[in-house]
Amino acid sequence: MRKLVNDPDRLVDDMIDGYVAAYGDLVSRGDHPRVVVRRRSKPRGRVGIAIGNGSGHEPIALGWIGAGMLDANAVGEVFAAPPPDLVLEAIRASDRGAGVLLLVSRHAGDVINAEMAVELARAEGLRVEPLLMYDDVSSAPKGREEDRRGAPGTTFVYKVVGARAEEGASLDELVALGSRVRDATRTLAAALAPGVSPLTGRPMFSLPEGEVFLGMGVHGEPGLRSVTSATADELVREMMPEILDDLPFERGDEVLVLVNGMGGTTLMELLVVHRSVAAVLEERGVVPYRPLVGSFVTTQEMAGFSISLCRLDDEIRRAWDAPVRAPFFHRPEEANP
Amino acid sequence: MRKLVNDPDRLVDDMIDGYVAAYGDLVSRGDHPRVVVRRRSKPRGRVGIAIGNGSGHEPIALGWIGAGMLDANAVGEVFAAPPPDLVLEAIRASDRGAGVLLLVSRHAGDVINAEMAVELARAEGLRVEPLLMYDDVSSAPKGREEDRRGAPGTTFVYKVVGARAEEGASLDELVALGSRVRDATRTLAAALAPGVSPLTGRPMFSLPEGEVFLGMGVHGEPGLRSVTSATADELVREMMPEILDDLPFERGDEVLVLVNGMGGTTLMELLVVHRSVAAVLEERGVVPYRPLVGSFVTTQEMAGFSISLCRLDDEIRRAWDAPVRAPFFHRPEEANP
Amino acid sequence: MTADEVRALADGLAQAYARERDVLAQLDAATGDGDHGAGMARGFDRARAATAEIDGDDVGAVLTAAGRGVMSGVGGASGALFASLFLALGAAAAGATTLETEHVVAGCADALSRIARLGRAEIGDKTMLDALAPALDALRAHADDALADALAAAALAAREGAVATVAMCARHGRARYAPEAGVGHVDPGAVSMAILFETWHDVARGGAA
Amino acid sequence: MTADEVRALADGLAQAYARERDVLAQLDAATGDGDHGAGMARGFDRARAATAEIDGDDVGAVLTAAGRGVMSGVGGASGALFASLFLALGAAAAGATTLETEHVVAGCADALSRIARLGRAEIGDKTMLDALAPALDALRAHADDALADALAAAALAAREGAVATVAMCARHGRARYAPEAGVGHVDPGAVSMAILFETWHDVARGGAA
Ligand SMILES: Nc1ncnc2c1ncn2[C@@H]1O[C@H](COP(=O)(O)OP(=O)(O)O)[C@@H](O)[C@H]1O
Ligand SMILES: Nc1ncnc2c1ncn2[C@@H]1O[C@H](COP(=O)(O)OP(=O)(O)O)[C@@H](O)[C@H]1O
Ligand SMILES: [Mg+2]
Ligand SMILES: [Mg+2]
Ligand SMILES: [Mg+2]
Ligand SMILES: [Mg+2]
């Protein structure tokens, strides 16, 4: 046994069982067994935030349900977008009479199923707007941003729209705000070793010993090129210009920073990586604001990490600082600084 | 490059650099570069909570500094207890005039260095009490509890004494409370695959394909026996009686539950494991209270998990519920349940 | 085709995709993530169950039920797209007790534009559209013929279209990230589309599925 | 031994543990976690630096400085224990300008009980004590002899004690978790203790370290 699984066909159901059993004070199953919702819904008159996504990337999505972030998650099979009718259930479950923002990480399956779900929801008279999220600089050249994939920088969108929805922002405001966060975000990933599929028990791709793949997607899709850096610092210094020069981030810009682990990389290593990220930002005169380091968007136990930056404005900053009560999202600040 | 390291000799320093750079609003370096403390100390007149431990297990210790938990952590080399003079620095840094509780996870090196540090501190006129923590049922038979090793169930002690120290409990009260939590806690671990040493780049031990080792220690020390369970549920059902029957936990008992990942096991799997833990508890009539699932006490990317239970009383329950503002400890509840 | 024959079609497709499961998985593994075979098998098993559960002789209703089964069962990029085809056919044939060539032409035409819109794909982008589009052309050329004859031509055209994807560059889906965008490999979704028309033709001419 | 000779001892030990680093690592890997060699090499390098930094001819002060270096440099279970030995020797010889056998006997006796207390270990538990205890017995038997002669006997006894650990069961430290508690393997800390007395004897009789 290399993976702690009972029956691959029941894996997603077992995972949800274990989740609602552990965090039942915060989350519960919706009307559909593959939709997870807050235990106590957000007040009526607030915009709901929903997302459908393939599983296997936890804690993202499932773990971020709670006050200040998501209202409902439609949980797909491992690495497979959930079908439209399931996404529709998540939309229904998050509707509190003020419309629903459906977050969509830009991957073919997620987009197609979400769009069809939006059609079904509108046909029922629900008000719903999809927000496509894309931040991976490696997946399409500058100028074709809207052809890029969603990557861990989408975290900034979840957090910011989640906070503002809680405070009562309207659906139109949230679409505008979410688009602004997305357009201010850039991510690049580096993979060191593949994860193991819980369905097949086999590695998800192969990588020549000693090579690091720049631009690996969250399902193991290739991106930019492979490199052979000797140290963490060298690798980060190879990556940072691709991110900084793309927006570009400029001297004096304030940024949110996420160093995200892909699952098989230790926190020790992620902190070593963050040290180099902070050094490069300092050299470039770009000012980090309350960074986040950890494994939030994973690809099973794939080894590697991504670096995401988001250019701040005041509304984004306030939303980043707002409290969250989700089981697996956490970025506290001092109580009275 | 399989591990994101610059120079193995600088690994711990680089990690601390990256940590205080990311979470500088919450933590900072103490007077000694290998001691990490809260950015703003706890008010004078409160008991300080300090710990020294080998690194390589993050987030534990380093990531749990903050209001409601630890005041200072002396960070040793990878898997090596920090020397007495370093532990002394952590004791000094956490002293706010009401004495210091020094938490010590029972491993030979940690105990010896802590005891010598306590001697040094007392010679300086500091008031400090060490609290030995041991919870691993696999490492010595029942009746010889005080010969057992510290394991991830020590988490309950950190959280509970951290909360009560913040509220103003005295050093004597905290020693009594911490001992009570320890004596009410039992843990058993299962390892599926070794982690890789960041110093040597080699696996830390070897395990025959398909075998699971019950009772593996947090540095890869062997414990009970090896088993070949086919499913997560089978494995959990093999483990639970060893834990439940040791205290024993009985019908009607309320318990804190921790399903802890060793680093290389996905959250998806840990949730599947928790499902089985919850099922066995229900069968036994033992009632879980706000469980915690995640990778908190790791051994690099070792694959596996441990199950810890702690029998509750009212003081422990209130302390478990108290807020924490540490970068990597998180167990929110609904704001107004 | 009667409603019961449409039920037989759903049954035939469930069998065909179960049989071709591993082949489709391997095709998808070459350029994508390898889950296409399992998804189609699971989805068409649901479609079969859905058509068996719905009574009556309205072919549109049975096709719609099949579409719902595909929709909830396949997942991934292709599920919603194959579902769209059956939902469009169901809408075109709503209320009819016999499925005629004209319904199929209208449904496939509608599906082609829906799939292109949902997937933002064009013909030549190495997707299932590259099998569906020539099939639709063939159906149109045989718009006045009996359904079995029109489907014979469509099945041939779909298979040719699928084979021709071997030379195309992927611009959508996961194949887009494959080395050289998958040139040298056929598109699994296009092969699934060819299998669909071939099975349909078999059932329509009264052959064993 | 003068203060400078104690400095030479620290230098000799730094060289000896650097040389034996891999051997000690392997011994520790067999029953523990393999870090003992690196720890001793790092710690005695610090001890050498600490003794070089401290001026004067007070042998007690130089030994105490060595103890502080060992304490902060080794880490793990053995660091504090080896540091205790040097700190105890430093206390016993405080103020003296020549280290005499009586200081060494007193210091080692104090260290033995400190180490046993800190480590909760008894003789026979397969630890460094099993080399230190026979060395102390030999020193006591030669309490009236010159230091070099007393150390000659202590070095022999320590080595014999270390070798004898091969048959013992570990009850402390990580070796306790080794299969059969490490029976069949010598204890690395005991070997380090033997190396210490051997090097000390070499330096005391004026030999090259
Ligand atoms: N944007 C798109 N438009 C049309 N068809 C698409 C698109 N993306 C993917 N497809 C089709 O879906 C097939 C892959 O299906 P499947 O493997 O089930 O989905 P996924 O890529 O989500 O794993 C491709 O072979 C292609 O024919
Ligand atoms: N409780 C103890 N009492 C006395 N000596 C001990 C004890 N535990 C360990 N030792 C000694 O320490 C040695 C191991 O040292 P080292 O490898 O540096 O520490 P660690 O076990 O922390 O990795 C053992 O060989 C043994 O001689
Ligand atoms: Mg897929
Ligand atoms: Mg060690
Ligand atoms: Mg696929
Ligand atoms: Mg060791």
Side-chain angles (χ1 to χ4, degrees):
Chain A
M1 180 163 53
R2 174 65 180 78
K3 286 263 175 174
L4 294 153
V5 169
N6 296 313
D7 169 359
D9 286 341
R10 280 198 43 84
L11 176 55
V12 174
D13 302 290
D14 284 358
M15 170 178 74
I16 296 174
D17 281 350
Y19 183 50
V20 299
Y23 294 91
D25 52 335
L26 292 161
V27 296
S28 59
R29 273 208 160 89
D31 293 334
H32 189 290
R34 290 281 181 99
V35 172
V36 181
V37 299
R38 298 189 191 180
R39 188 175 72 89
R40 294 187 322 138
S41 324
K42 173 186 258 180
R44 280 202 68 78
R46 302 276 155 82
V47 174
I49 312 282
I51 187 162
N53 65 299
S55 56
H57 305 289
E58 293 68 30
I60 199 188
L62 194 62
W64 294 356
I65 297 166
M69 258 171 120
L70 298 177
D71 294 283
N73 177 214
V75 187
E77 294 290 330
V78 178
F79 304 140
D85 49 346
L86 193 55
V87 178
L88 171 64
E89 297 274 0
I91 295 169
R92 284 186 190 138
S94 38
D95 183 46
R96 303 295 291 149
V100 173
L101 183 68
L102 178 67
L103 299 178
V104 188
S105 180
R106 206 184 155 288
H107 294 271
D110 296 87
V111 175
I112 292 168
N113 287 285
E115 298 212 337
M116 196 149 160
V118 167
E119 286 180 10
L120 297 173
R122 288 184 180 152
E124 285 186 4
L126 292 168
R127 203 176 150 220
V128 53
E129 290 295 336
L131 178 72
L132 291 191
M133 303 183 291
Y134 38 80
D135 55 316
D136 181 348
V137 296
S138 79
S139 51
K142 189 165 168 56
R144 278 182 37 213
E145 283 80 5
E146 67 292 347
D147 284 347
R148 290 176 172 175
R149 308 184 274 241
T154 54
T155 302
F156 300 132
V157 180
Y158 284 73
K159 174 68 179 79
V160 169
V161 300
R164 293 288 296 125
E166 212 70 41
E167 292 167 5
S170 72
L171 184 52
D172 289 345
E173 284 166 345
L174 292 172
V175 169
L177 173 62
S179 308
R180 205 163 81 232
V181 175
R182 172 197 63 206
D183 294 341
T185 298
R186 294 294 184 275
T187 295
L188 182 62
L192 279 72
V196 171
S197 161
L199 305 180
T200 66
R202 284 195 296 268
M204 290 171 57
F205 57 88
S206 72
L207 203 61
E209 180 69 29
E211 276 187 32
V212 174
F213 209 95
L214 285 199
M216 186 67 81
V218 293
H219 312 92
E221 304 91 338
L224 277 186
R225 62 180 180 277
S226 85
V227 296
T228 52
S229 307
T231 67
D233 195 57
E234 235 178 85
L235 178 57
V236 170
R237 285 175 184 279
E238 173 111 24
M239 294 166 72
M240 287 295 283
E242 307 272 356
I243 302 168
L244 288 163
D245 299 342
D246 191 272
L247 190 66
F249 295 90
E250 287 171 345
R251 190 163 291 276
D253 281 349
E254 273 199 285
V255 292
L256 300 175
V257 179
L258 169 64
V259 173
N260 179 68
M262 290 170 169
T265 286
T266 61
L267 180 57
M268 172 170 248
E269 294 165 87
L270 297 176
L271 292 168
V272 169
V273 164
H274 179 264
R275 173 179 176 275
S276 300
V277 170
V280 173
L281 290 178
E282 168 135 32
E283 287 159 24
R284 292 277 201 129
V286 175
V287 183
Y289 183 70
R290 300 183 63 240
L292 188 61
V293 181
S295 295
F296 298 97
V297 185
T298 65
T299 305
Q300 295 294 305
E301 65 285 87
M302 180 150 123
F305 65 96
S306 57
I307 305 168
S308 303
L309 303 178
C310 170
R311 187 159 60 199
L312 270 188
D313 59 34
D314 283 344
E315 184 178 15
I316 297 174
R317 180 202 313 270
R318 275 199 314 275
W320 185 246
D321 288 345
V324 176
R325 297 187 98 84
F328 292 96
F329 189 92
H330 184 55
R331 181 58 180 94
E333 50 177 338
E334 283 275 5
N336 348 291
Chain B
M1 180 164 50
R2 174 63 181 79
K3 285 264 175 174
L4 294 154
V5 168
N6 296 314
D7 170 358
D9 287 342
R10 280 198 46 83
L11 175 54
V12 174
D13 302 290
D14 284 358
M15 171 179 73
I16 297 175
D17 281 351
Y19 183 49
V20 300
Y23 294 91
D25 53 334
L26 292 161
V27 297
S28 59
R29 272 208 161 88
D31 293 335
H32 190 290
R34 290 281 181 100
V35 173
V36 182
V37 300
R38 297 190 191 181
R39 187 175 73 88
R40 294 186 324 136
S41 323
K42 170 188 257 180
R44 280 202 67 78
R46 302 275 155 84
V47 175
I49 312 281
I51 187 161
N53 65 298
S55 57
H57 304 289
E58 292 69 29
I60 198 187
L62 194 64
W64 293 356
I65 297 166
M69 257 171 121
L70 299 176
D71 294 282
N73 177 214
V75 187
E77 294 290 331
V78 178
F79 303 139
D85 50 345
L86 192 55
V87 178
L88 172 63
E89 297 274 359
I91 295 170
R92 285 188 191 136
S94 36
D95 183 46
R96 303 295 292 148
V100 173
L101 182 70
L102 178 65
L103 299 178
V104 187
S105 181
R106 207 183 154 288
H107 294 271
D110 297 86
V111 174
I112 292 167
N113 288 284
E115 298 212 337
M116 196 152 161
V118 167
E119 287 180 10
L120 297 173
R122 288 184 179 153
E124 284 186 7
L126 292 169
R127 204 175 150 223
V128 53
E129 290 296 337
L131 177 73
L132 291 191
M133 303 182 292
Y134 38 80
D135 55 316
D136 182 347
V137 296
S138 79
S139 50
K142 187 161 171 59
R144 279 182 37 214
E145 283 78 5
E146 66 291 349
D147 284 346
R148 290 176 172 174
R149 309 185 273 241
T154 56
T155 302
F156 300 132
V157 180
Y158 285 72
K159 174 68 179 78
V160 168
V161 299
R164 293 288 295 128
E166 213 70 41
E167 292 168 5
S170 72
L171 184 51
D172 290 344
E173 286 167 343
L174 292 172
V175 169
L177 174 63
S179 308
R180 205 165 80 231
V181 175
R182 172 197 64 206
D183 294 340
T185 298
R186 295 295 184 274
T187 295
L188 182 63
L192 280 71
V196 171
S197 161
L199 305 179
T200 65
R202 283 195 296 268
M204 292 172 56
F205 57 88
S206 72
L207 202 63
E209 179 72 28
E211 276 188 30
V212 174
F213 209 95
L214 284 199
M216 186 68 80
V218 293
H219 312 94
E221 302 94 337
L224 278 188
R225 63 178 180 277
S226 84
V227 295
T228 52
S229 307
T231 66
D233 195 56
E234 235 178 85
L235 179 56
V236 169
R237 285 175 184 279
E238 174 111 24
M239 294 167 70
M240 287 297 281
E242 307 271 355
I243 302 168
L244 288 164
D245 299 343
D246 190 271
L247 190 64
F249 295 91
E250 288 171 344
R251 190 163 293 275
D253 282 348
E254 271 198 285
V255 292
L256 299 176
V257 180
L258 169 64
V259 173
N260 179 69
M262 291 172 168
T265 286
T266 61
L267 180 57
M268 173 171 245
E269 292 165 89
L270 297 177
L271 293 169
V272 169
V273 164
H274 179 265
R275 172 178 177 275
S276 299
V277 171
V280 174
L281 290 178
E282 168 135 30
E283 288 159 23
R284 292 276 203 130
V286 174
V287 184
Y289 183 68
R290 298 183 64 237
L292 187 61
V293 182
S295 295
F296 298 97
V297 185
T298 65
T299 304
Q300 296 294 305
E301 65 287 84
M302 180 150 124
F305 65 95
S306 57
I307 305 169
S308 303
L309 302 179
C310 171
R311 187 160 57 199
L312 270 187
D313 59 34
D314 282 345
E315 184 178 14
I316 297 174
R317 181 203 311 271
R318 275 199 314 275
W320 184 247
D321 288 345
V324 176
R325 297 185 97 83
F328 291 96
F329 189 93
H330 184 56
R331 182 55 179 96
E333 51 179 337
E334 283 276 5
N336 348 293
Chain C
M1 274 177 109
T2 65
D4 274 342
E5 283 167 337
V6 173
R7 290 183 183 94
L9 168 61
D11 187 49
L13 287 170
Q15 289 182 46
Y17 289 122
R19 200 165 51 225
E20 301 299 323
R21 182 186 170 124
D22 291 345
V23 172
L24 291 170
Q26 279 161 27
L27 293 178
D28 190 30
T31 57
D33 60 357
D35 62 356
H36 186 63
M40 294 297 282
R42 186 175 56 225
F44 279 85
D45 197 56
R46 291 255 187 114
R48 167 183 26 203
T51 59
E53 266 162 30
I54 183 170
D55 292 330
D57 56 5
D58 178 343
V59 288
V62 178
L63 284 163
T64 300
R68 295 242 170 80
V70 170
M71 178 162 82
S72 69
V74 181
S78 58
L81 303 180
F82 278 102
S84 292
L85 175 59
F86 283 87
L87 295 175
L89 290 165
T97 53
T98 330
L99 183 70
E100 304 290 357
T101 306
E102 61 179 307
H103 299 133
V104 177
V105 169
C108 287
D110 187 26
L112 187 78
S113 62
R114 279 180 65 86
I115 293 173
R117 185 165 46 76
L118 277 173
R120 285 162 206 185
E122 287 173 28
I123 290 162
D125 284 353
K126 196 182 186 93
T127 71
M128 61 179 69
L129 285 182
D130 295 308
L132 178 57
L136 175 60
D137 288 343
L139 289 167
R140 280 194 172 123
H142 292 266
D144 301 325
D145 296 352
L147 181 56
D149 298 332
L151 285 170
L156 267 177
R159 178 58 67 173
E160 275 171 21
V163 169
T165 62
V166 79
M168 298 175 184
C169 293
R171 302 160 68 95
H172 297 278
R174 292 196 182 152
R176 161 187 166 200
Y177 304 110
E180 326 223 8
V183 170
H185 295 273
V186 291
D187 178 66
V191 172
S192 284
M193 189 62 84
I195 291 170
L196 189 149
F197 279 102
E198 286 164 357
T199 308
W200 200 353
H201 171 236
D202 270 353
V203 174
R205 73 182 164 85
Chain D
M1 273 177 110
T2 63
D4 274 343
E5 284 167 333
V6 173
R7 290 186 182 94
L9 168 61
D11 187 48
L13 288 170
Q15 288 181 48
Y17 290 120
R19 203 166 47 227
E20 300 300 323
R21 180 186 171 124
D22 291 347
V23 172
L24 292 170
Q26 279 160 26
L27 293 178
D28 190 30
T31 57
D33 60 357
D35 61 357
H36 186 62
M40 293 298 282
R42 186 175 57 227
F44 280 84
D45 198 56
R46 291 254 187 115
R48 167 184 25 206
T51 60
E53 266 162 31
I54 183 168
D55 291 331
D57 55 7
D58 178 344
V59 288
V62 178
L63 284 162
T64 300
R68 294 244 171 78
V70 171
M71 179 163 79
S72 69
V74 181
S78 59
L81 303 179
F82 278 100
S84 291
L85 175 59
F86 283 88
L87 295 174
L89 289 166
T97 53
T98 330
L99 183 69
E100 304 290 357
T101 307
E102 60 178 308
H103 299 134
V104 176
V105 169
C108 286
D110 188 27
L112 188 78
S113 62
R114 280 180 63 86
I115 292 173
R117 187 166 44 77
L118 277 172
R120 285 164 204 183
E122 288 173 28
I123 290 163
D125 284 355
K126 197 183 185 90
T127 71
M128 60 177 69
L129 285 182
D130 295 309
L132 178 57
L136 175 60
D137 288 343
L139 289 167
R140 281 195 171 122
H142 293 265
D144 301 327
D145 296 352
L147 182 56
D149 297 333
L151 285 170
L156 268 177
R159 177 61 65 175
E160 274 172 22
V163 169
T165 61
V166 78
M168 298 175 182
C169 293
R171 302 159 70 93
H172 297 279
R174 292 196 183 153
R176 163 187 166 200
Y177 303 110
E180 325 223 7
V183 172
H185 296 273
V186 292
D187 178 66
V191 171
S192 284
M193 188 61 84
I195 292 171
L196 189 149
F197 279 100
E198 286 164 356
T199 308
W200 199 354
H201 172 237
D202 271 352
V203 174
R205 71 183 165 87

